[in-house]
Amino acid sequence: SAEAAAKFDVKYVRLETPHGLIGAKQAGAEAATGDIIVFFDCHVLPASDYWVPYVKNVAENYKRVVIPTITSLDVDKWTEFNRPTTSGGGLSKCYLTFDAEFKWTNDNTPYVPIMSGGLLAMSRKWFFEIGGYDSSMKGWGGENLDQSLRIWTCGGEIVSAQESYVAHMWRDGTAKTKAKYKLGAGDAIKNRARAVKAHLGPWFEKTMTFPSFKQWAGKELDTSSITDTFSNLQCENFEWYLNRFKYIYQNAGVIPDEVFQIEADSSGLCLELKSMKWTNYGTADSVVLRDCTDAPKDPKSIWWHKSNRLKDGSCCGGLRAWNTDQCIDGRNHRLGGTDLASYTCDLDSGVEAFLEPSSDNEEEFSLKVGRGTPYCVSVEGESSLKIVECENASTWRKRNAFTPIEYELLSSDTKKDWESVS
């Protein structure tokens, strides 16, 4: 209200022409005069004392960026719900995938590898030291990747303030939560492409293998407006970042040292996601048997690798479809079930689905599912799957295993370090 705005000395900055979300944030930051800048989406409800952890954390380290615990907003009542009952709940952390997506995750550290971008606080000094928002990004999308990677590699850090709560309206497909604006065609994907090209170094070659980035193959993609802003800060490279978050990229299997097809001995068919192709912006799918292939020349989700941390923090207790965010769902299987599904990988899942070597043939495996269950996936007939007791299950083998480019690009020192604990 006008009364509240006057009481708290609120300033409104109106731009003469549309600048999009990124440009609007930059304009707001430039108009701000306080020591701490807070960015919020418009469709949020901060708790009354949300700011206290912000001030405490930034006061301890001006290069520290703070993310609140993100809960849910009832847009009809404009009230918060789904506040976690224990520390560590709610949403605050994401991790980066090589197709420039960011996936929600959780762990027992306070650190945030990638921020979702809509809700954060940072010192005004640090915001401008790292160059603010990129002036060449349009609309929204990708700015959170650029900012997160700048912050970490240039000497800052991003932390989650578990005791700070901000309720967020999630778009659920209904008319009342539908966006009332339109993005320029191709703006978001170009923003993301520029962000990862500026920061990933040789790993940008991996990004270009995803279908969503094929349009940029062989085209000039100028990132100087990003890189010039922090060229004097002596920032670390992307491999440093991968090692800083080794518990995600190595221990949770996001960068695998081996990718393979899972072939049924009895039928010669391989496990594949029924509908999804290569993307980390996926949804739950069915896992089915289809013809195997010789090489990953097209984006079929028929290649798998170990994924997800075990309870001791080591790798791995799950199986993830390569170049996707989908893992074989090992939860709640029943004996005799004929549906094998995937779901968005939980990097901290523990044991869910894994290949257990045969005692008398190291090339044969049982495909075990569940946590502490005696259940395995077996082939019924020519191409159907069924959950059976492991002693009665058919066997599987790894087919056409290879080392993917994202692992090959690691330095020899990093490979040696990762392999010593694998």
Side-chain angles (χ1 to χ4, degrees):
S1 67
E3 181 181 348
K7 178 180 178 181
F8 295 104
D9 193 24
V10 174
K11 297 178 183 178
Y12 294 96
V13 179
R14 180 169 292 277
L15 303 174
E16 293 184 3
T17 58
H19 281 54
L21 180 145
I22 299 170
K25 283 184 173 182
Q26 182 67 27
E30 291 172 357
T33 57
D35 293 335
I36 298 176
I37 300 174
V38 176
F39 295 103
F40 279 151
D41 287 336
C42 61
H43 40 272
V44 301
L45 175 66
S48 60
D49 57 352
Y50 80 91
W51 58 272
V52 176
Y54 283 12
V55 174
K56 177 180 181 294
N57 275 280
V58 176
E60 292 173 353
N61 178 0
Y62 87 92
K63 295 183 179 181
R64 179 180 292 161
V65 177
V66 188
I67 311 298
T69 298
I70 306 170
T71 59
S72 299
L73 179 65
D74 184 324
V75 295
D76 294 318
K77 300 177 181 178
W78 209 252
T79 55
E80 178 195 58
F81 68 100
N82 280 349
R83 179 177 288 199
T85 57
T86 59
S87 177
L91 298 173
S92 60
K93 304 179 183 184
C94 301
Y95 69 96
L96 175 70
T97 59
F98 286 107
D99 55 344
E101 293 289 354
F102 54 100
K103 305 300 300 180
W104 293 107
T105 188
N106 207 352
D107 54 63
N108 59 3
T109 78
Y111 301 110
V112 178
I114 294 289
M115 53 188 175
S116 59
L119 315 172
L120 65 133
M122 63 195 303
S123 71
R124 188 174 188 278
K125 180 180 179 181
W126 182 231
F127 178 81
F128 287 105
E129 274 189 23
I130 61 171
Y133 286 106
D134 173 34
S135 60
S136 295
M137 285 191 178
K138 307 299 181 184
W140 67 269
E143 79 281 1
N144 63 316
L145 309 182
D146 172 34
Q147 285 275 301
S148 298
L149 293 168
R150 284 196 216 188
I151 290 162
W152 278 112
T153 60
C154 297
E157 63 181 19
I158 310 173
V159 301
S160 170
Q162 289 297 315
E163 64 275 29
S164 176
Y165 296 98
V166 178
H168 184 280
M169 180 198 79
W170 305 104
R171 302 201 188 280
D172 58 10
T174 61
K176 61 186 175 184
T177 64
K178 185 179 180 180
K180 305 301 191 293
Y181 57 84
K182 293 182 179 180
L183 291 174
D187 284 348
I189 192 71
K190 184 176 181 180
N191 289 347
R192 290 163 48 212
R194 292 181 65 256
V196 292
K197 183 182 180 184
H199 293 283
L200 266 59
W203 278 271
F204 184 63
E205 182 181 350
K206 169 69 178 182
T207 300
M208 294 299 290
T209 65
F210 285 88
S212 54
F213 291 94
K214 287 296 186 183
Q215 61 183 298
W216 298 106
K219 295 182 180 179
E220 181 64 27
L221 198 60
D222 183 14
T223 61
S224 59
S225 63
I226 298 176
T227 55
D228 287 353
T229 57
F230 57 85
S231 60
N232 63 333
L233 292 181
Q234 297 181 323
C235 303
E236 303 285 355
N237 62 24
F238 186 62
E239 185 162 352
W240 175 92
Y241 176 86
L242 295 176
N243 278 298
R244 171 63 184 79
F245 294 104
K246 186 172 73 169
Y247 59 87
I248 288 175
Y249 292 99
Q250 195 266 335
N251 295 344
V254 176
I255 295 184
D257 61 359
E258 182 185 52
V259 174
F260 45 84
Q261 294 173 83
I262 303 175
E263 180 184 17
D265 277 335
S266 60
S267 68
L269 300 176
C270 289
L271 292 181
E272 181 179 358
L273 295 181
K274 183 177 181 179
S275 302
M276 268 189 60
K277 304 302 182 183
W278 288 356
T279 177
N280 282 281
Y281 190 65
T283 56
D285 202 352
S286 297
V287 182
V288 297
L289 282 170
R290 286 184 176 151
D291 291 335
C292 304
T293 186
D294 292 329
K297 294 179 181 178
D298 54 14
K300 290 183 177 181
S301 298
I302 200 168
W303 301 89
W304 300 84
H305 60 86
K306 294 189 294 183
S307 184
N308 307 343
R309 287 182 296 269
L310 296 168
K311 294 307 180 184
D312 65 1
S314 64
C315 186
C316 285
L319 288 166
R320 181 170 181 158
W322 185 51
N323 289 338
T324 81
D325 60 357
Q326 295 298 297
C327 287
I328 291 178
D329 191 346
R331 306 167 298 175
N332 304 320
H333 277 294
R334 62 178 179 82
L335 190 64
T338 56
D339 296 325
L340 187 62
S342 74
Y343 79 120
T344 301
C345 299
D346 173 3
L347 299 189
D348 214 24
S349 69
V351 173
E352 276 208 333
F354 63 98
L355 294 172
E356 183 174 84
S358 168
S359 59
D360 54 2
N361 186 340
E362 62 181 14
E363 293 186 356
E364 287 187 351
F365 299 86
S366 296
L367 177 48
K368 302 197 73 171
V369 290
R371 300 171 182 172
T373 72
Y375 298 157
C376 285
V377 179
S378 186
V379 177
E380 294 287 308
E382 293 186 0
S383 59
S384 297
L385 299 173
K386 188 175 183 179
I387 305 301
V388 302
E389 293 186 357
C390 290
E391 61 183 13
N392 300 320
S394 56
T395 56
W396 305 79
R397 65 180 61 240
K398 294 180 180 180
R399 175 187 169 101
N400 292 341
F402 68 95
T403 303
I405 184 176
E406 57 268 34
Y407 190 88
E408 290 284 15
L409 288 169
L410 295 170
S411 67
S412 57
D413 286 344
T414 293
K415 289 177 183 175
K416 183 177 180 181
D417 176 52
W418 288 20
E419 290 164 5
S420 69
V421 295
S422 62

